[in-house]
Amino acid sequence: MSIEPERQGRPSSQRGGQQGGSTAGPTVLRIALGGQLRRLREERGISREAAGDAIRGSHAKISRLELGRVSFRERDLNDLLTLYGVDSPEERAAFLSLAKQANEPGWWHQYGDLLPAWFETYLGLEQAAEIIRTYEAQFVPGLLQTPDYARAVILLGHGQEPGSEVDRRVALRTRRQDILTRQEPPTLWAVIDEAALRRPIGGERIMRGQIEHLIRIAELPNVTVQLLPYSVGGHAAAGGPFTIVRFPESDLPDVVYLEQLTSALYLDKRNDLDQYQAVMNMLSVQAATPEETPQLLRALMQEY
């Protein structure tokens, strides 16, 4: 996927007759707007420090804006557009309109008290994705978890919280899954290590229900599930689980998401993307095929 814009000037999600609005989520809109501001700055030969001075901030703030990690204040955006020589009222209005859309909270905003900022970013990417490819080694991917399994996983890290808070966390995870059955859903391609399904999270009944759910949901035309069996031995993803997200907007790069215990990494450099794409492709070859996987899952279910 190309990371270059179709042409310079007007924000990309305002092109092609979409000036009345965008179907992309706010996170992706922030990334798109930040990327275009970065290109404008670099074309003018302006440093991040100078751009930061123009908005009474620091180079670190400019970096966060350009990465789409924070919302845009209208005054800051106007000052940056002036600094970058964007004088056309039409172009400035297009940038400001895009910023207004990007600042709209997503549906998950109501769960903001439960979510770390680094995971809110991922939710925005997931909701706007066209293709999601994921490898999981310890748990079933969140988009494929049953409510019972999700609750058992959540209790591992939040068992001391009141039951009402646990219920909200389960509701959040369940609502994320709505993207799989919405109109124009993303394609989800999940490779799940056998170890994740042999770990009896929540007990035998919950695991049987979870495996049965995997078999059933893999029948959706937009969902592919592959089991990576022990018999493969060593495999390409020795570094651990990861997710690659691709967007319908042609000028946005893919993003590799790496979740850690208290933070996450978001990679979009071409070299990183190429390496993770190669690993994911190799995993898909090493794993059981989508046609073989249901039979293997049924055999696993019989062991619980």
Side-chain angles (χ1 to χ4, degrees):
M1 179 178 291
S2 171
I3 64 173
E4 293 303 317
E6 297 169 18
R7 63 176 183 267
Q8 301 299 328
R10 175 176 289 184
S12 61
S13 56
Q14 297 291 333
R15 302 185 189 119
Q18 297 183 29
Q19 207 148 335
S22 171
T23 58
T27 303
V28 168
L29 294 178
R30 287 201 306 269
I31 294 172
L33 179 55
Q36 290 169 76
L37 290 173
R38 174 181 56 78
R39 287 189 285 269
L40 285 171
R41 177 181 60 76
E42 291 175 347
E43 286 173 0
R44 272 64 172 180
I46 297 171
S47 68
R48 284 196 180 94
E49 287 75 12
D53 289 342
I55 63 170
R56 301 152 297 280
S58 64
H59 68 91
K61 181 176 180 179
I62 293 297
S63 180
R64 290 193 295 271
L65 286 170
E66 292 180 351
L67 290 170
R69 302 288 166 79
V70 293
S71 59
F72 292 85
R73 296 171 58 189
E74 183 175 338
R75 183 178 72 168
D76 291 345
L77 183 54
N78 271 315
D79 289 343
L80 289 175
L81 293 175
T82 298
L83 179 65
Y84 300 158
V86 179
D87 300 320
S88 163
E90 181 187 18
E91 288 186 10
R92 293 178 73 98
F95 273 102
L96 290 168
S97 175
L98 183 57
K100 182 177 180 180
Q101 296 174 55
N103 288 339
E104 290 293 326
W107 61 259
W108 54 92
H109 181 71
Q110 62 185 296
Y111 299 99
D113 57 317
L114 303 178
L115 293 171
W118 52 266
F119 190 65
E120 284 195 62
T121 298
Y122 176 72
L123 287 180
L125 301 180
E126 184 178 78
Q127 293 292 308
E130 180 179 49
I131 300 172
I132 303 170
R133 299 184 70 186
T134 187
Y135 164 69
E136 277 289 351
Q138 185 171 358
F139 301 111
V140 171
L143 288 175
L144 299 176
Q145 294 180 5
T146 64
D148 284 344
Y149 181 91
R151 183 180 299 276
V153 172
I154 288 166
L155 286 172
L156 294 176
H158 302 278
Q160 302 304 313
E161 292 185 359
S164 58
E165 295 297 279
V166 174
D167 289 344
R168 291 180 66 216
R169 291 184 184 276
V170 174
L172 168 62
R173 190 161 303 184
T174 301
R175 184 165 179 184
R176 284 172 56 195
Q177 300 170 3
D178 288 348
I179 64 171
L180 298 179
T181 52
R182 73 186 182 194
Q183 189 175 7
E184 298 184 6
T187 294
L188 173 65
W189 189 344
V191 178
I192 306 174
D193 199 291
E194 182 176 342
L197 298 179
R198 289 197 175 276
R199 191 180 303 277
I201 303 294
E204 294 183 352
R205 179 188 63 81
I206 288 176
M207 288 304 302
R208 282 196 301 270
Q210 177 60 69
I211 296 172
E212 184 177 15
H213 177 68
L214 288 176
I215 296 170
R216 185 169 56 251
I217 201 166
E219 295 175 356
L220 292 176
N222 57 306
V223 176
T224 298
V225 176
Q226 290 184 266
L227 181 69
L228 185 66
Y230 283 150
S231 59
V232 168
H235 55 78
F242 64 96
T243 299
I244 305 173
V245 183
R246 175 168 292 183
F247 310 100
E249 290 78 13
S250 61
D251 58 337
L252 288 181
D254 294 357
V255 174
V256 175
Y257 172 71
L258 302 171
E259 186 170 319
Q260 300 172 331
L261 186 60
T262 58
S263 63
L265 294 177
Y266 295 87
L267 309 177
D268 63 0
K269 300 294 190 231
R270 175 50 53 191
N271 185 55
D272 292 327
L273 292 173
D274 288 346
Q275 290 190 48
Y276 277 94
Q277 288 282 10
V279 170
M280 185 63 81
N281 290 338
M282 182 61 70
L283 284 172
S284 299
V285 171
Q286 293 177 312
T289 67
E291 294 74 24
E292 296 167 341
T293 291
Q295 182 178 352
L296 295 175
L297 291 176
R298 291 188 185 95
L300 271 174
M301 190 166 55
Q302 295 304 313
E303 298 183 22
Y304 282 105

